[in-house]
Amino acid sequence: MKHTITLIPGDGIGPEIVAATVRVVEATGVDIEWETQILGAQAFEQVGTTLPDVTIESIRKNKVALKGPQMTPVGKGFTSVNVGLRKALDLYANVRPIKAMPNVKCRYPELDLVIVRENTEDLYAGLEHVVVPGVVESLKIITEKASTRIAKYAFEYARDNGRKKVTAVHKANIMKLSDGLFLDCFYNVAKEFPEIEADDKIIDNCCMQLVMRPEQFDVLVLENLYGDIVSDLCAGLIGGLGLAPGANIGELGAVFEAVHGSAPDIAGQGIANPTALILSAIQMLLHIGERGAAERLDRALLAVFADGEHITRDLGGTAKTNEFARAIEEKIVAERSAAA
Ligand code: NAI
């Protein structure tokens, strides 16, 4: 089956890691027509807006996008491109699997958990104002609708992916109304999934537990801000941002992207690590029903890490982005010709 997918190369290292990812995805033999669109700084330079309507429309039409990181131009008047995109497409669930790779030095090589972050509200609603000079108010929005929807997503994800437990992370002991509502919604939804264990942790304790005994967690569900911070913490447990993939899922579409940003400090040097985006592309292949291609790519990626000969600089190796991609491509080609 042929798929049409919106492709957003992004800024900084974006075009380099997107090219590497497209190369290894295509090596699997999956039939994809890429519809290239722009966003972010590049879009602002070319068409005067960071979030062009044509890009949003392309994702609405195709329902799936693979996206490189964006740079939000610094300065007043520029809202975050990613927050804007998530709002425009109502991409309410941000799913971030945390799993270590073979041969990567990290604190928890066996770790395997999934973060489900609410993506549309909380302090990221961006509702801030000056009350009087020197006093600023920022509004935290938590709704029953969004809290129920994300809890449901987390339990469905757990059920569909053979996971055993979902933990809600909150600060309901202090924010009794807002985080209290989030927690109530979580336990209401939990009743519909008796086969999945449900528990909760206060955010500060949760951070300590993640560093000390992360194996106790399976799926974590969090409000937007906690989810943002805790997912970077978890990326640190398995070797850093270069290995952390993400999916933004909504009713109108799904956008797959790495957790990291555009890394302007190494852009254009051909040394960026495309692993996080390749892992995001594996999630994308599963989402569009291409399980065979997803598994082929996953096996090849793991095999390249297990060989340890083509590791990028951020993980202590010397391989360039394209050498790493070529090694994965060669594994896939070898597997496909052995099977033919
Ligand atoms: P960053 O994630 O771009 O970089 C942090 C550090 O990690 C840098 O030293 C960078 O070289 C390194 N790094 C990141 N990804 C890497 C990779 N794939 N391979 C090797 N090294 C990698 O975070 P930073 O510097 O805070 O943000 C830079 C820009 O990215 C900002 O404009 C920010 O707004 C944007 N950003 C975009 C995101 C997105 O589009 N989803 C997410 C986060 C930040």
Side-chain angles (χ1 to χ4, degrees):
M1 181 186 164
K2 188 178 185 113
H3 308 272
T4 306
I5 292 179
T6 304
L7 184 69
I8 300 165
D11 304 313
I13 59 168
E16 300 163 50
I17 57 172
V18 165
T21 303
V22 165
R23 176 177 177 173
V24 296
V25 167
E26 289 186 344
T28 65
V30 68
D31 193 3
I32 294 178
E33 187 186 335
W34 304 101
E35 205 170 275
T36 304
Q37 298 290 350
I38 51 173
L39 266 186
Q42 191 194 13
F44 188 74
E45 273 164 31
Q46 290 183 22
V47 295
T49 167
T50 53
L51 203 56
D53 288 344
V54 59
T55 303
I56 306 281
E57 279 317 309
S58 167
I59 304 173
R60 279 212 181 106
K61 173 173 66 75
N62 298 328
K63 303 260 188 290
V64 183
L66 182 67
K67 172 182 165 301
Q70 311 300 310
M71 197 173 71
T72 300
V74 178
K76 286 196 174 154
F78 292 112
T79 51
S80 160
V81 179
N82 291 308
V83 173
L85 188 64
R86 288 165 195 168
K87 275 191 186 154
L89 294 163
D90 196 18
L91 301 170
Y92 68 91
N94 186 196
V95 185
R96 295 177 165 185
I98 300 287
K99 197 169 173 196
M101 283 285 160
N103 266 335
V104 172
K105 275 208 191 107
C106 65
R107 285 172 201 279
Y108 295 103
E110 304 300 323
L111 191 60
D112 180 9
L113 59 83
V114 178
I115 292 180
V116 176
R117 165 186 168 194
E118 203 292 322
N119 231 358
T120 62
E121 52 180 34
D122 191 5
L123 284 159
Y124 285 45
L127 298 171
E128 295 187 319
H129 63 272
V130 176
V131 181
V132 291
V135 181
V136 171
E137 190 172 39
S138 183
L139 299 178
K140 169 165 170 152
I141 308 294
I142 299 294
T143 65
E144 184 179 341
K145 185 174 167 224
S147 303
T148 302
R149 182 165 72 162
I150 198 68
K152 210 165 192 160
Y153 186 90
F155 280 101
E156 282 170 358
Y157 182 95
R159 184 194 59 200
D160 298 346
N161 291 277
R163 301 256 169 193
K164 307 259 174 302
K165 181 167 87 165
V166 181
T167 304
V169 184
H170 61 91
K171 191 79 185 174
N173 53 330
I174 303 293
M175 280 165 275
K176 293 186 193 293
L177 287 183
S178 53
D179 286 18
L181 176 60
F182 182 81
L183 196 56
D184 286 348
C185 295
F186 170 80
Y187 278 117
N188 274 338
V189 171
K191 290 182 205 146
E192 295 169 34
F193 298 84
E195 72 281 20
I196 312 265
E197 187 186 339
D199 71 354
D200 68 277
K201 286 258 179 309
I202 293 176
I203 177 80
D204 35 357
N205 176 31
C206 180
C207 289
M208 192 265 288
Q209 298 283 343
L210 276 166
V211 174
M212 305 276 294
R213 282 200 316 116
E215 65 282 356
Q216 68 186 283
F217 296 104
D218 195 351
V219 176
L220 300 175
V221 60
L222 309 93
E223 293 167 6
N224 207 340
L225 178 63
Y226 305 147
D228 195 4
I229 298 167
V230 168
S231 50
D232 273 31
L233 184 154
C234 288
L237 301 177
I238 52 137
L241 280 179
L243 300 172
N248 297 289
I249 312 276
E251 312 289 349
L252 303 174
V255 176
F256 296 83
E257 63 178 338
V259 170
H260 64 72
S262 57
D265 52 334
I266 56 164
Q269 298 177 36
I271 57 170
N273 180 1
T275 302
L277 191 64
I278 293 173
L279 288 166
S280 309
I282 293 173
Q283 278 183 271
M284 179 191 81
L285 289 169
L286 290 171
H287 180 83
I288 62 173
E290 295 285 357
R291 179 163 289 276
E295 288 174 352
R296 221 168 282 146
L297 180 51
D298 194 38
R299 275 195 298 276
L301 180 66
L302 288 172
V304 167
F305 272 99
D307 286 354
E309 281 171 39
H310 298 92
I311 301 295
T312 48
R313 209 180 62 169
D314 55 310
L315 299 177
T318 54
K320 296 257 191 181
T321 312
N322 59 2
E323 291 165 348
F324 179 74
R326 192 187 315 127
I328 298 171
E329 185 181 38
E330 282 170 5
K331 295 271 184 214
I332 297 171
V333 171
E335 188 192 287
R336 290 183 73 198
S337 37

